[in-house]
Amino acid sequence: MRRLEEKDALEREKMDEIRNQAKQDVEDWYKRYDEQLKHTKENNRAEESVREKERDSPAQHDGCDWPKVSALCDFSTKAGVGKAKDVSRMKTLLLNLKANPDKR
């Protein structure tokens, strides 16, 4: 009987250690997550302020909006796999409008 009680006590101690370790792991994960989230928010705010300055700068207001539109578009040639839509015509159109802004 005493042997079973010792095993039960050891098992409870091990389970307590496992629970404490799990709690510590979860706390560490949340700390890393919060730090990463804070860093991402700071980066996004910095990028947003740069974009606002670029958007509102007088050099950008020359009467032609197509260079601004094409600056915001991603023209990289990513291989669309599966459900991706073909946007090559739209890319071509925007690039033509950027190159020849007076033709409407």
Side-chain angles (χ1 to χ4, degrees):
M1 203 55 161
R2 183 176 174 179
R3 186 172 172 206
L4 289 177
E5 290 172 357
E6 289 175 1
K7 283 188 174 184
D8 287 343
L10 283 174
E11 184 179 356
R12 275 186 240 117
E13 287 177 17
K14 287 182 181 180
M15 289 301 289
D16 288 341
E17 288 177 16
I18 291 171
R19 284 188 185 111
N20 290 335
Q21 182 63 40
K23 287 179 184 177
Q24 184 64 39
D25 290 346
V26 169
E27 289 174 5
D28 292 343
W29 184 87
Y30 275 112
K31 284 180 186 176
R32 284 192 310 269
Y33 176 76
D34 289 339
E35 289 174 5
Q36 184 179 6
L37 186 63
K38 180 181 175 183
H39 182 68
T40 302
K41 285 181 180 181
E42 289 173 357
N43 286 343
N44 287 345
R45 287 185 185 118
E47 289 178 15
E48 182 180 11
S49 66
V50 168
R51 286 190 188 260
E52 285 177 357
K53 287 178 185 176
E54 288 176 358
R55 181 190 68 201
D56 297 336
S57 68
Q60 294 290 327
H61 296 293
D62 58 356
C64 183
D65 292 331
W66 293 115
K68 289 190 280 185
V69 171
S70 64
L72 295 173
C73 294
D74 181 20
F75 292 113
S76 62
T77 56
K78 296 178 184 173
V81 180
K83 299 178 182 177
K85 293 183 179 181
D86 182 22
V87 293
S88 60
R89 288 183 62 198
M90 179 60 82
K91 289 178 183 179
T92 304
L93 176 68
L94 288 173
L95 288 174
N96 286 339
L97 288 169
K98 179 183 177 186
N100 303 317
D102 295 334
K103 296 179 182 178
R104 291 181 188 224

